[in-house]
Amino acid sequence: MLYKTNAKSLLVTSAIVSWLLLLAYVLLTAERSLAGTGLPGFAFPFLSNLLTVVFIVSVFLFQRMHTETLKGIDFIGYL
C-alpha cells in the first residue's frame, strides 16, 4: 500500500525529474533550432506536453496531500 510519506516522496521525485527532463528537452531543442539544423532527431511533439503535465500533476497532488495535514490548524497562516 502507498502510504502518505511514500506518496509525498514519490511525487516530489517525479516533479523534480520531470522538471529536469523538460529543461533538458527545451534547451536541446533551442540549441538545435539556433544552429539551423531544425528539430532534433529525438523530438516528439508530445514529449514537452507530457513532461509539463507530469510536473503540474505531481506538484498539485503533493500540495493537496500537504494541506490535508493542516486541517484544524491555522490554515490562513499557511496561505
Side-chain angles (χ1 to χ4, degrees):
M1 182 169 189
L2 191 63
Y3 296 106
K4 285 190 177 188
T5 55
N6 294 339
K8 284 183 181 180
S9 64
L10 179 67
L11 289 171
V12 168
T13 304
S14 66
I16 290 172
V17 168
S18 65
W19 178 258
L20 291 175
L21 288 174
L22 182 63
L23 179 66
Y25 179 80
V26 168
L27 289 176
L28 288 174
T29 303
E31 179 186 357
R32 288 283 183 117
S33 67
L34 286 177
T37 58
L39 292 175
F42 61 91
F44 299 109
F46 62 89
L47 187 60
S48 177
N49 293 338
L50 178 69
L51 290 172
T52 303
V53 167
V54 168
F55 176 74
I56 290 171
V57 168
S58 297
V59 170
F60 175 77
L61 290 176
F62 176 78
Q63 288 297 324
R64 185 173 182 149
M65 289 179 71
H66 188 65
T67 55
E68 297 238 348
T69 60
L70 296 176
K71 284 185 177 176
I73 303 177
D74 182 25
F75 186 72
I76 300 299
Y78 179 72
L79 291 176

